[in-house]
Every structure is written in structure tokens, then in C-alpha cells.
Amino acid sequence: MEGLSGRPAALCRLAAGGHLQDNNLRSEVREKNANLNLILVFLQRLHYNGINKIWCLSEGTESIMNVVLFVIFSSLEYLSVFFFLFALFRFEIKEQILNSIICSVIMSFVSHMFMLEHLSSISSIVQFFILIFFLRLLLRTSWFYSSMMLLIGYIVFALNQTAMLALLKHYNVFKDDVVPYTNQAFLLQGLSCLLLFLYTGFIRFNKGGFSFIEHDGRIKRNFINRSNVTFFVVMIISIIITFISNYWIGSEANPPLVLISFMLLLPLLFLIYLSVKKETADD
């Protein structure tokens, strides 16, 4: 496209002009041109490496509809986690619906691209940190509280999906391994989303949740205190357990799903206990 292949006329004139006397202006122009070149190179590589196959699967055997369904159900997964966290920590959901949908769709394409590049083993780790950034952007909370909120939502969703998969396999609803882009995977994703939306509705209906995180992004109390240090240590341990569980599921043909579910339940209970303790202490 013409808009991507050539530099803007104003920048070209400034960069090519030999009549500029202000060295600072020349330096600024060169920096702008350098940044623009980087963007152009990035777009060209993206077009060459990914954009042509974004609607295709790496095996090339599935239809575009499978990718569309993957994007839809993945977006619903991320959206259900966002809504659950908003309800659990008493943020207004209506104010964040559009932004949450946009972030969820973006993350679904990120997940899809990781699948295409056969990077599913590190996908959850990278997505975890991207989601922390999105959550901080949406709610304007500190990095610490954004990480804590997301970790709780992440573990709840992983626990739900793992326990549900164990039940479906136990009752022979799923006889084979669940493969992405298949009807079994879409069913599992849909049921997981439904559960989280039900949790969200239950919390909202009963006016539950935690309020120790200020809605304007400020922290009620001094950040460096015993409560937050304990939270931080438990969070680190929880992250390690969560990613070990995720790797275990992805690396084995028949992982012990019940054992993994209990592994995820343990850090979740500790995080909920610390949240309740912090809530009562702040009151």
C-alpha cells in the first residue's frame, strides 16, 4: 500500500533539506525517520512472516471457520477472566466492557500466533505478563496489585478448566486428547467461560468481593508492609506452581489432572486467605 511504502512528505522534505540550520531539528527529523523505518521494517516482516497465514493453521488442514471459532472462544475466555476480576475486586464492569473486549480479541490473536509458531510451551508465560499490562492499563492499579489480581483470576480459570477436563474424561465425554481448533476444545473453552460468568454473576448479586484496592489506582496503605511482603512471597510461589502445572499438562499425553487441580487449589486458597485478611485489616 502506498501509505506504508513511502515516508510522509513532510518528513522527507525535512530529512533531505540541506538548508536546515537548527541541528536539534535535524536530529529530531533523523530520529523520526529512523523510527519510521523501524515501523516499516516491522510491518514488512509481519506481512511476510505472519499476516498471510493468520487465518490459516500451521498444518493447513483446517478451514478458516476453525480459526474464527478459536478467536471467538479464546476472546470469551479472556473476557470472562476480566469480568470475574472486576466483580471480585469491586470494579465497575460497565465502564470497562469495550476496553475489555478489545484486549480480549487482541489476546486471542496473540494466542493464535503462538500456536502457529509452535510456541505454546511459552505462550502462557508471555500472555500472563501481557495481561498484567492490560489490567494495569484498564484499572490504573499498581503493578503489584495488577499482578495479584491477574494471578488469582488466572489460577481460578486454570483450576476450573483442569477440573472440568478431568470430569469430562472420567465420564468418557472426552475419550481422546483435547486438541486446539477442534469441537472438543471449543466445548471445553465454552464451559470454562460459562462457569466464570456464573461466578461473576454470583459475586455481583451477593455484593461480594474485596475492596482493599482503590479504584483510582492509589494504594490505601503504605506499599512496603508485612501484608504486601507476605502477598509477594505467596505470589511468587503461586506463579511457579501455576506454570509447572501448565507445563505438566502440555508436556504429557495423560497428565494427572486431579493432582494438578489440587496443586492449583492450594495457592488459590492461600491467596484468597490473604485477601480476606487484608480486607478485614483495612476495614
Side-chain angles (χ1 to χ4, degrees), residues 255-272:
L257 296 174
V258 176
L259 175 60
I260 293 174
S261 297
F262 279 107
M263 284 178 60
L264 292 170
L265 179 62
L266 187 62
L268 177 62
L269 291 177
F270 271 105
L271 289 170
I272 295 297

PDB file of all heavy atoms in Angstrom, residues 255-272:
ATOM      1  N   PRO A 255      -1.661 -36.438  31.582  1.00  0.00           N
ATOM      2  CA  PRO A 255      -1.221 -35.869  32.863  1.00  0.00           C
ATOM      3  C   PRO A 255      -2.221 -36.178  33.977  1.00  0.00           C
ATOM      4  O   PRO A 255      -3.413 -36.373  33.722  1.00  0.00           O
ATOM      5  CB  PRO A 255      -1.176 -34.359  32.575  1.00  0.00           C
ATOM      6  CG  PRO A 255      -2.174 -34.160  31.484  1.00  0.00           C
ATOM      7  CD  PRO A 255      -2.114 -35.403  30.645  1.00  0.00           C
ATOM      8  N   PRO A 256      -1.768 -36.222  35.224  1.00  0.00           N
ATOM      9  CA  PRO A 256      -2.680 -36.474  36.363  1.00  0.00           C
ATOM     10  C   PRO A 256      -3.503 -35.215  36.660  1.00  0.00           C
ATOM     11  O   PRO A 256      -3.117 -34.384  37.490  1.00  0.00           O
ATOM     12  CB  PRO A 256      -1.716 -36.817  37.508  1.00  0.00           C
ATOM     13  CG  PRO A 256      -0.443 -36.112  37.149  1.00  0.00           C
ATOM     14  CD  PRO A 256      -0.367 -36.108  35.663  1.00  0.00           C
ATOM     15  N   LEU A 257      -4.633 -35.079  36.021  1.00  0.00           N
ATOM     16  CA  LEU A 257      -5.422 -33.854  36.088  1.00  0.00           C
ATOM     17  C   LEU A 257      -5.951 -33.574  37.494  1.00  0.00           C
ATOM     18  O   LEU A 257      -6.029 -32.415  37.909  1.00  0.00           O
ATOM     19  CB  LEU A 257      -6.580 -33.932  35.088  1.00  0.00           C
ATOM     20  CG  LEU A 257      -6.177 -34.016  33.604  1.00  0.00           C
ATOM     21  CD1 LEU A 257      -7.397 -34.231  32.723  1.00  0.00           C
ATOM     22  CD2 LEU A 257      -5.428 -32.754  33.184  1.00  0.00           C
ATOM     23  N   VAL A 258      -6.314 -34.630  38.208  1.00  0.00           N
ATOM     24  CA  VAL A 258      -6.828 -34.440  39.570  1.00  0.00           C
ATOM     25  C   VAL A 258      -5.728 -33.892  40.475  1.00  0.00           C
ATOM     26  O   VAL A 258      -5.942 -32.949  41.246  1.00  0.00           O
ATOM     27  CB  VAL A 258      -7.395 -35.757  40.131  1.00  0.00           C
ATOM     28  CG1 VAL A 258      -7.828 -35.561  41.584  1.00  0.00           C
ATOM     29  CG2 VAL A 258      -8.566 -36.241  39.286  1.00  0.00           C
ATOM     30  N   LEU A 259      -4.531 -34.457  40.375  1.00  0.00           N
ATOM     31  CA  LEU A 259      -3.408 -33.980  41.170  1.00  0.00           C
ATOM     32  C   LEU A 259      -3.064 -32.532  40.818  1.00  0.00           C
ATOM     33  O   LEU A 259      -2.811 -31.703  41.711  1.00  0.00           O
ATOM     34  CB  LEU A 259      -2.192 -34.876  40.939  1.00  0.00           C
ATOM     35  CG  LEU A 259      -0.878 -34.440  41.616  1.00  0.00           C
ATOM     36  CD1 LEU A 259      -1.053 -34.393  43.135  1.00  0.00           C
ATOM     37  CD2 LEU A 259       0.255 -35.373  41.222  1.00  0.00           C
ATOM     38  N   ILE A 260      -3.081 -32.211  39.526  1.00  0.00           N
ATOM     39  CA  ILE A 260      -2.789 -30.846  39.093  1.00  0.00           C
ATOM     40  C   ILE A 260      -3.847 -29.882  39.607  1.00  0.00           C
ATOM     41  O   ILE A 260      -3.534 -28.746  39.993  1.00  0.00           O
ATOM     42  CB  ILE A 260      -2.679 -30.793  37.553  1.00  0.00           C
ATOM     43  CG1 ILE A 260      -1.449 -31.586  37.092  1.00  0.00           C
ATOM     44  CG2 ILE A 260      -2.591 -29.349  37.059  1.00  0.00           C
ATOM     45  CD1 ILE A 260      -1.322 -31.724  35.592  1.00  0.00           C
ATOM     46  N   SER A 261      -5.098 -30.325  39.645  1.00  0.00           N
ATOM     47  CA  SER A 261      -6.175 -29.474  40.171  1.00  0.00           C
ATOM     48  C   SER A 261      -5.928 -29.135  41.637  1.00  0.00           C
ATOM     49  O   SER A 261      -6.113 -27.981  42.057  1.00  0.00           O
ATOM     50  CB  SER A 261      -7.527 -30.183  40.017  1.00  0.00           C
ATOM     51  OG  SER A 261      -7.841 -30.396  38.656  1.00  0.00           O
ATOM     52  N   PHE A 262      -5.494 -30.117  42.414  1.00  0.00           N
ATOM     53  CA  PHE A 262      -5.183 -29.851  43.825  1.00  0.00           C
ATOM     54  C   PHE A 262      -3.953 -28.959  43.962  1.00  0.00           C
ATOM     55  O   PHE A 262      -3.876 -28.126  44.877  1.00  0.00           O
ATOM     56  CB  PHE A 262      -4.976 -31.167  44.582  1.00  0.00           C
ATOM     57  CG  PHE A 262      -6.255 -31.832  44.999  1.00  0.00           C
ATOM     58  CD1 PHE A 262      -6.705 -32.969  44.357  1.00  0.00           C
ATOM     59  CD2 PHE A 262      -7.029 -31.303  46.032  1.00  0.00           C
ATOM     60  CE1 PHE A 262      -7.894 -33.577  44.736  1.00  0.00           C
ATOM     61  CE2 PHE A 262      -8.214 -31.900  46.421  1.00  0.00           C
ATOM     62  CZ  PHE A 262      -8.653 -33.043  45.769  1.00  0.00           C
ATOM     63  N   MET A 263      -2.996 -29.110  43.057  1.00  0.00           N
ATOM     64  CA  MET A 263      -1.822 -28.238  43.064  1.00  0.00           C
ATOM     65  C   MET A 263      -2.218 -26.782  42.838  1.00  0.00           C
ATOM     66  O   MET A 263      -1.655 -25.863  43.442  1.00  0.00           O
ATOM     67  CB  MET A 263      -0.840 -28.669  41.967  1.00  0.00           C
ATOM     68  CG  MET A 263      -0.034 -29.907  42.300  1.00  0.00           C
ATOM     69  SD  MET A 263       1.063 -30.385  40.936  1.00  0.00           S
ATOM     70  CE  MET A 263       2.078 -28.906  40.774  1.00  0.00           C
ATOM     71  N   LEU A 264      -3.203 -26.555  41.962  1.00  0.00           N
ATOM     72  CA  LEU A 264      -3.672 -25.195  41.691  1.00  0.00           C
ATOM     73  C   LEU A 264      -4.559 -24.668  42.808  1.00  0.00           C
ATOM     74  O   LEU A 264      -4.570 -23.466  43.094  1.00  0.00           O
ATOM     75  CB  LEU A 264      -4.443 -25.172  40.366  1.00  0.00           C
ATOM     76  CG  LEU A 264      -3.620 -25.415  39.098  1.00  0.00           C
ATOM     77  CD1 LEU A 264      -4.528 -25.614  37.891  1.00  0.00           C
ATOM     78  CD2 LEU A 264      -2.672 -24.241  38.847  1.00  0.00           C
ATOM     79  N   LEU A 265      -5.298 -25.572  43.439  1.00  0.00           N
ATOM     80  CA  LEU A 265      -6.206 -25.157  44.510  1.00  0.00           C
ATOM     81  C   LEU A 265      -5.441 -24.617  45.716  1.00  0.00           C
ATOM     82  O   LEU A 265      -5.881 -23.651  46.357  1.00  0.00           O
ATOM     83  CB  LEU A 265      -7.085 -26.335  44.924  1.00  0.00           C
ATOM     84  CG  LEU A 265      -8.092 -26.086  46.047  1.00  0.00           C
ATOM     85  CD1 LEU A 265      -9.093 -25.012  45.638  1.00  0.00           C
ATOM     86  CD2 LEU A 265      -8.808 -27.375  46.420  1.00  0.00           C
ATOM     87  N   LEU A 266      -4.310 -25.217  46.027  1.00  0.00           N
ATOM     88  CA  LEU A 266      -3.548 -24.829  47.222  1.00  0.00           C
ATOM     89  C   LEU A 266      -3.102 -23.360  47.192  1.00  0.00           C
ATOM     90  O   LEU A 266      -3.396 -22.609  48.128  1.00  0.00           O
ATOM     91  CB  LEU A 266      -2.351 -25.761  47.402  1.00  0.00           C
ATOM     92  CG  LEU A 266      -1.543 -25.593  48.686  1.00  0.00           C
ATOM     93  CD1 LEU A 266      -2.422 -25.883  49.901  1.00  0.00           C
ATOM     94  CD2 LEU A 266      -0.324 -26.520  48.679  1.00  0.00           C
ATOM     95  N   PRO A 267      -2.408 -22.897  46.141  1.00  0.00           N
ATOM     96  CA  PRO A 267      -2.035 -21.468  46.134  1.00  0.00           C
ATOM     97  C   PRO A 267      -3.232 -20.539  46.054  1.00  0.00           C
ATOM     98  O   PRO A 267      -3.191 -19.426  46.604  1.00  0.00           O
ATOM     99  CB  PRO A 267      -1.151 -21.343  44.888  1.00  0.00           C
ATOM    100  CG  PRO A 267      -1.499 -22.496  44.030  1.00  0.00           C
ATOM    101  CD  PRO A 267      -1.866 -23.595  44.964  1.00  0.00           C
ATOM    102  N   LEU A 268      -4.304 -20.991  45.402  1.00  0.00           N
ATOM    103  CA  LEU A 268      -5.502 -20.157  45.314  1.00  0.00           C
ATOM    104  C   LEU A 268      -6.088 -19.924  46.708  1.00  0.00           C
ATOM    105  O   LEU A 268      -6.477 -18.788  47.039  1.00  0.00           O
ATOM    106  CB  LEU A 268      -6.544 -20.812  44.403  1.00  0.00           C
ATOM    107  CG  LEU A 268      -7.871 -20.074  44.277  1.00  0.00           C
ATOM    108  CD1 LEU A 268      -7.678 -18.688  43.666  1.00  0.00           C
ATOM    109  CD2 LEU A 268      -8.864 -20.881  43.440  1.00  0.00           C
ATOM    110  N   LEU A 269      -6.151 -20.962  47.520  1.00  0.00           N
ATOM    111  CA  LEU A 269      -6.677 -20.812  48.880  1.00  0.00           C
ATOM    112  C   LEU A 269      -5.823 -19.859  49.701  1.00  0.00           C
ATOM    113  O   LEU A 269      -6.349 -19.047  50.475  1.00  0.00           O
ATOM    114  CB  LEU A 269      -6.756 -22.187  49.555  1.00  0.00           C
ATOM    115  CG  LEU A 269      -7.798 -23.163  49.000  1.00  0.00           C
ATOM    116  CD1 LEU A 269      -7.706 -24.503  49.712  1.00  0.00           C
ATOM    117  CD2 LEU A 269      -9.206 -22.584  49.120  1.00  0.00           C
ATOM    118  N   PHE A 270      -4.508 -19.938  49.542  1.00  0.00           N
ATOM    119  CA  PHE A 270      -3.620 -19.026  50.264  1.00  0.00           C
ATOM    120  C   PHE A 270      -3.852 -17.583  49.822  1.00  0.00           C
ATOM    121  O   PHE A 270      -3.884 -16.663  50.654  1.00  0.00           O
ATOM    122  CB  PHE A 270      -2.161 -19.419  50.038  1.00  0.00           C
ATOM    123  CG  PHE A 270      -1.639 -20.412  51.045  1.00  0.00           C
ATOM    124  CD1 PHE A 270      -1.454 -21.738  50.706  1.00  0.00           C
ATOM    125  CD2 PHE A 270      -1.349 -20.016  52.341  1.00  0.00           C
ATOM    126  CE1 PHE A 270      -0.985 -22.658  51.633  1.00  0.00           C
ATOM    127  CE2 PHE A 270      -0.871 -20.912  53.280  1.00  0.00           C
ATOM    128  CZ  PHE A 270      -0.693 -22.246  52.923  1.00  0.00           C
ATOM    129  N   LEU A 271      -4.004 -17.359  48.517  1.00  0.00           N
ATOM    130  CA  LEU A 271      -4.217 -16.002  48.003  1.00  0.00           C
ATOM    131  C   LEU A 271      -5.558 -15.436  48.474  1.00  0.00           C
ATOM    132  O   LEU A 271      -5.658 -14.256  48.833  1.00  0.00           O
ATOM    133  CB  LEU A 271      -4.149 -16.001  46.476  1.00  0.00           C
ATOM    134  CG  LEU A 271      -2.756 -16.232  45.867  1.00  0.00           C
ATOM    135  CD1 LEU A 271      -2.856 -16.458  44.363  1.00  0.00           C
ATOM    136  CD2 LEU A 271      -1.841 -15.041  46.155  1.00  0.00           C
ATOM    137  N   ILE A 272      -6.587 -16.283  48.474  1.00  0.00           N
ATOM    138  CA  ILE A 272      -7.900 -15.837  48.950  1.00  0.00           C
ATOM    139  C   ILE A 272      -7.844 -15.540  50.450  1.00  0.00           C
ATOM    140  O   ILE A 272      -8.402 -14.532  50.929  1.00  0.00           O
ATOM    141  CB  ILE A 272      -8.979 -16.908  48.661  1.00  0.00           C
ATOM    142  CG1 ILE A 272      -9.170 -17.085  47.151  1.00  0.00           C
ATOM    143  CG2 ILE A 272     -10.304 -16.515  49.307  1.00  0.00           C
ATOM    144  CD1 ILE A 272      -9.681 -15.848  46.440  1.00  0.00           C
TER     145      ILE A 272
END
